Structure formats: C-alpha cells, structure tokens
Amino acid sequence: MKKLMNGAQMKMIDVYSIQEVGIPSLVLMERAALCVTEAVLEKIKKTDKVLCVCGSGNNGADGMAVARQLTERGISAEVYTTAEEGKGTEELNRQRAILQKLGIVFVNDIPAGEYNCIIDAVFGIGLSRTITGRYEQIIAKINAAKDTGSLIVAVDTPSGINAGDGQVMGCAVRADMTVTFGFAKCGLCLYPGRKYAGELCVANAGFADVRTIPEIWEQAAFTMEDTDIAAFFDRPADTNKGSYGKLLIVAGSENMAGAAALSARAAYRTGCGLVKVFTHENNRTVVLTHVPEAVMVTYKDTADIKEKLAGELDWADCVVAGPGLSKSDTAKEIVAEMIAYQPKREKRLPVLLDADALNIIAENRKLLSGIAENEGSSKQYVYTPHMGEAARLSGKSIAQLKETSCESAKELAQKLCGVCVLKDAATVVSDGSRIYINTSGNSGMSTAGAGDTLTGILAGSVLAGRTQKNGKENASYEFFEKICMGVYLHGRAGDAAADRFGNAGMKAMDIADAVANVLKEN
C-alpha cells in the first residue's frame, strides 16, 4: 500500500521536517531539484535548450535550483520568473542571487518553439485560488509550447491543478511528466489532474519519516500496488475449497443472465471456493454455459422465493445482489428480504449491493433505515454505485460528485452505513472515514458488464484473500482493505485485458478471465 497526500498534509510534513527534525529547507530544496534534474536528463539530449518557468514561491525556487543543476551538467538552461526582484520567498531570493552570480540568463517571455523542454515551477501544492490574468497567460504560453513539441515537466504538481481533489483551478499546465516529492498527491491520482500530470514520478526529496504522526499518516488516503497482490492472495498448501468461502450471487431477472454469469466467473477467477447463483430459471442454461462450475438455485415466480432465499443466505459466507436484477416487484422483494434476514443470522454476512439493488434502495429509503438500525451487519455492507447511481442515492448532481469524489464517497459511506465504492475513471472507496483512490484500470473498461465483473472480484477478495496479514496471525486484513484490493485487482485485470485485446475491443468477460493472469504473474 502507498500513502497519498493532499496539499495541507504535505505542508505539515515539510514543517515537521524543517522545524521539528531540523532538516534545513535549502537541503530539502536541493534534493527536490536534483530529483527533477535527473528525471529531465533522462528525457532530453545534451544539445537541448531548457526554460525553467518559476513563480514567486518555493516551487519557483525549486525551478531555479533545477536551472542551476542543469547548467552545471552542460545543458543550456534559462529562467523566466513571475517574481519581481526581492519580492519572492526567502528561498527564492537566495536561489535567484546564486543564479545571477553564475550568469544564468533570465528571459522576459515564453516563446513557443524556442525551447525543447520547459520546467513548470509556477505554482506548487498550495494553490487555492482560481488562476486568472497574467498567470493564465503564462500557463497558456507553456501549453502553446507543448503544442509545438516542447517537453513539459511539472515540479511537484502541474500549475493550476488542485493537489487535493485534482480539479483545474481555472486553467492548468498540461504536463508530459510530473516529478512530485515524498508522496503521490491525491489530485494527481484523480481526474482531471491525473490526465494533466502525464507520467508521474514520485521522488524521495529527503522528508522526515512521519509514520508515527497520526494526524498525518492515519488521515492520509492510500492506494494499492502490485506488490500487495501476492501477499494478499497467497494460498497455503493445506487448504480446500471451503477455505476460500461460499458466495451467493443474487442476480439476473428473467432472460437477463449475462450479469449473473459475469459476476460468477469473475468470483471464481479471483479464487472463490464455491459460487451459487440465485436467479430466474430461464437463465440456467446461459449461466452454466459460461460458468459450468457454478451451482444453480432458480425460481420461476415469487411463491417460493422467500423460503429459498433464506436457506441460501444461511449457507453463504458472502452475498452479492443486484447485477441484472431489474426493478421488478420480484427484485424488490428479494432485496428487502435480504436486508430483513440479516439480523436473523447468528453471523453477519458481508453483502455487496450493486446495480439494480442500489436503484431499489434509492427509491425505498425504508430499506436503508433497516440497514442503519442493525449496526452489527451494516459494517459489512458494500455499495458499488457508478456516478449516475450515486447521484440518485446522494441527491447530488454527477458534476458535484466528480468535483468532490473523495468527500462524496465518504459522505455516501456514512449515509449508507457501509463501504462505498464510488466508480469512475479513478474509483474512490471510503468506509466513512478512510479514503482509497484507485490507480489501476483504463478507458477500455467503459464497457457493458465491467461493473458485474467488479462485484464478483470484490466478493472473491473478501472470501479468498488471506486473513493473516503478512503472515502474522495477529494482523488480519480488514474488511475495508479487502474491498480496496478487489477494486485494484479489477483495474489490473482491465489493464491485462487491454494489453491483449486493446482498449476498444476488450469485453467484460475478458476482464473476468484476466484476473487469473494477474494473480499468476504476481
């Protein structure tokens, strides 16, 4: 797992490193600049010409230090600064004085086509206002240079991107690469900031270790990475199918078998021990054709649904409900019975609600009240809305949700009394306090059925994932961590499917099958 920071948290880390630990500010600045310099040198030729565009703050000071270091290595580097003489921060004024003594050229314009590489050091992570006027013109010139072939490298964050939520503050630099310091920033992992950042390089700038500071470390968002997969899905030799859980998938209204088949197939590929599909009788052939390993429990009408469902809920270790279920009276009865049955179980079931189950809940708030009143089971509920479903559940517009995805996921988790998986280009997961931002996946996953594969993979992560964290009996993976791992694995499976079939041609079934390859390779 990797921590992600916002602008305020990084400022706390900076202050702690300088004031509490005693690392000089100029030492941190020199290391940060060196990280940018080394990254740039890997991208340019010795004969290339570089312009460092520097603001009046410490981000600008970093840029000036980069100009000096590039000059020391024989690169032609010039500086454009927005700061009048003596008007910048203390660090910027020091860096400026050094450059003037070394004879480094300061220019008064940013002409397109003149520089092979432009370093964007105008604004750092502290930007909190909309960019207008002179700065808007400067950013426009940087982007114009990009359009004529200049390589654009951003220092810490592209100027104009909010480091916390990834929103464009009026206008922003479209970087080819961003070298960010200490930790990846939330705003560089969320869209549109993720797109503006280009290639993201997280560099060690020498900050002090803050893992022992709860107000920083415990409050920070996080993401998963490939190294987490192997430890999570390790399977000891002395196990059997019962070791990896019994999953009940309640999906597929009459003649809507695809969603049920996709969820079941993805669950098996993720390592589930046994999967039952509770669906309409007309779906039997399709489901078994695509998932012959699945056990079928079917119904034809509503007469015996309640009794049948109760028996299967008693059997299951986890239940998925909603894919392809429709909003028929039968579907509404099924969802209501599932929620009502939870308090009757001796052991609470993890319940993953998706698609039509979410729409049914959005239209019947009494069901939500039933979940909230039963606190023991509510902690095991997972909701997986896409932006449209989230809008119906929250009352916010899709635009509002996208602009505040982290806070919106947190608010929905609190409102729904469970874990919210807010699906988007960068999916955000919250349990009402913690935030996970997903960094895997691609645009090819914008295809019918991709959400159905996610529900199966999430269930597989809940059931098949190890209960002993890093081999320690007293350090179990939390339910929330299992859900986050499922989201990450789903994205990685999407990446593997795209590698094989391309973004445009991949299908949901390709994602389901690719899970096995990802687990094998990790």
Side-chain angles (χ1 to χ4, degrees), residues 176-257:
D176 295 294
M177 177 172 69
T178 298
V179 182
T180 195
F181 309 129
F183 300 88
K185 310 307 181 291
C186 295
L188 304 182
C189 297
L190 296 164
Y191 287 95
R194 188 160 155 183
K195 181 179 180 180
Y196 279 75
E199 177 187 349
L200 184 61
C201 174
V202 182
N204 179 7
F207 293 111
D209 188 347
V210 294
R211 285 176 291 180
T212 59
I213 305 176
E215 58 266 35
I216 298 176
W217 196 253
E218 293 178 8
Q219 296 299 315
F222 69 99
T223 190
M224 295 283 186
E225 51 191 334
D226 281 2
T227 52
D228 295 310
I229 295 175
F232 195 89
F233 288 98
D234 180 41
R235 294 169 76 102
D238 57 339
T239 54
N240 55 60
K241 65 183 179 184
S243 305
Y244 302 104
K246 297 175 292 185
L247 172 63
L248 177 65
I249 296 178
V250 181
S253 58
E254 185 175 3
N255 298 321
M256 291 289 290

Side-chain angles (χ1 to χ4, degrees), residues 275-280 283-285 287-288 291 294-298:
V275 178
K276 276 187 181 181
V277 178
F278 188 92
T279 190
H280 193 279
N283 298 333
R284 177 186 293 274
T285 300
V287 173
L288 288 178
V291 196
V295 177
M296 301 297 297
V297 180
T298 63

Side-chain angles (χ1 to χ4, degrees), residues 41 44-49 70 72-76:
L41 289 172
I44 66 173
K45 302 189 296 291
K46 194 78 172 179
T47 55
D48 283 347
K49 191 175 180 181
L70 287 172
E72 290 170 354
R73 288 159 174 77
I75 303 295
S76 174

